[in-house]
Amino acid sequence: MTDWVSFYDFKHSVIYVNARHRDVHYRTIAQDICAYVTSPSAAVLDYGCGEATSADLIAASCAHLSMVEAAPNVRAALSARYAGHPKISVLTPEQAATQPADSFDLIVMHSVAQYLSAAEFDRLLAIFRKLLKPGGLLIVGDIVPPRFAAAAAALALLRFGAANGFFFAAVLGLMRIFVSDYLRLKKTVGLSHYDEAAMLEKLKRAGYSAQRAPRNIGHNQQRMTFLARLS
Ligand SMILES: C[S@@+](CC[C@H](N)C(=O)[O-])C[C@H]1O[C@@H](n2cnc3c(N)ncnc32)[C@H](O)[C@@H]1O
């Protein structure tokens, strides 16, 4: 395994300590994203959606949800799960990039930026500029700050587990992550970290007017969500 997409392409990603964790995780994210859907006629794009077991909640709040996933096995599972859903399509990153200009009212990229190089991230910000309707909103969530990220993530997972009935599985899950490819890839491929000022500057240079949201999407409030509009 040599990159983050193949890490996430495992059938049972070690990132989720069990099925309950995975489902509570995706339900929490879906509920948080729904709060940003301001109209039932909105077209929404979720870029790097992962296993997205609660995508139907988002689809119920908008006109159409396009889900983009780079990992082929995860994408195949999404296509099977949502086959026949009238308001959900599953796309490859290449298909997303070639959607018509001004296609989406809301684009969400949550917990993906840390796996992208600076150049990959800039390329995506340019694609999102094309895809966003005038007045549309880009949400970049779960941005990992440079300091204390691992300790904060572990603590947030334990708290999330305690609140949702999977505390002991979370303890075991953290031990499993220690012996997984996650730490090896972190050393070899690396993770991208941004503080608030660096992210605001990056979004500004990419042509967005942005601000940090009062709270992060999901359970880890040490991480940050940014709201960006075309400037
Ligand atoms: C932590 S998961 C996030 C899933 C979901 N958005 C969430 O918040 O739970 C990271 C996602 O980033 C995707 N990813 C990693 N590297 C990528 C890359 N270079 N290009 C596109 N997607 C990538 C993975 O396929 C995976 O779905």
Side-chain angles (χ1 to χ4, degrees), residues 145-192:
R147 291 164 63 81
F148 310 120
L155 194 59
L157 176 65
L158 293 175
R159 284 202 179 120
F160 195 46
N164 290 284
F166 61 89
F167 177 79
F168 292 108
V171 174
L172 288 177
L174 283 173
M175 290 157 65
R176 209 169 46 165
I177 286 175
F178 265 101
V179 294
S180 77
D181 282 321
Y182 192 88
L183 291 188
R184 193 180 56 73
L185 279 175
K186 195 173 156 193
K187 282 200 189 104
T188 53
V189 182
L191 287 172
S192 297

Side-chain angles (χ1 to χ4, degrees), residues 3 20 22 67-68 76 93 111 114 116-117 138 148-149 185 190 192 204 208 222-223:
D3 61 48
R20 177 163 178 77
R22 182 198 60 191
M67 305 168 75
V68 183
S111 210
Q114 63 267 43
L116 304 175
S117 67
L138 167 65
F148 310 120
L185 279 175
S192 297
K204 189 174 164 192
Y208 296 87
Q222 196 234 12
R223 296 187 178 182

Side-chain angles (χ1 to χ4, degrees), residues 30-195:
Q31 287 165 341
D32 286 353
I33 292 173
C34 283
Y36 287 101
V37 180
T38 51
S39 161
S41 63
V44 178
L45 177 77
D46 184 354
Y47 193 97
C49 61
E51 296 177 47
T53 49
S54 286
D56 50 331
L57 291 182
I58 305 174
S61 73
C62 68
H64 194 83
L65 173 65
S66 301
M67 305 168 75
V68 183
E69 178 49 58
N73 288 317
V74 179
R75 199 170 57 243
L78 286 170
S79 297
R81 180 185 287 269
Y82 296 112
H85 193 299
K87 288 164 80 177
I88 292 182
S89 356
V90 179
L91 306 176
T92 64
E94 295 73 22
Q95 288 169 325
T98 54
Q99 294 298 297
D102 302 346
S103 284
F104 298 101
D105 301 277
L106 174 64
I107 298 179
V108 182
M109 187 176 81
H110 185 72
S111 210
V112 177
Q114 63 267 43
Y115 304 108
L116 304 175
S117 67
E120 279 177 314
F121 194 0
D122 286 340
R123 193 183 69 83
L124 282 180
L125 289 174
I127 290 171
F128 296 157
R129 260 185 75 85
K130 181 196 92 168
L131 297 180
L132 260 189
K133 289 182 188 173
L137 176 66
L138 167 65
I139 303 178
V140 183
D142 227 27
I143 294 298
V144 186
R147 291 164 63 81
F148 310 120
L155 194 59
L157 176 65
L158 293 175
R159 284 202 179 120
F160 195 46
N164 290 284
F166 61 89
F167 177 79
F168 292 108
V171 174
L172 288 177
L174 283 173
M175 290 157 65
R176 209 169 46 165
I177 286 175
F178 265 101
V179 294
S180 77
D181 282 321
Y182 192 88
L183 291 188
R184 193 180 56 73
L185 279 175
K186 195 173 156 193
K187 282 200 189 104
T188 53
V189 182
L191 287 172
S192 297
H193 298 261
Y194 301 90
D195 63 21

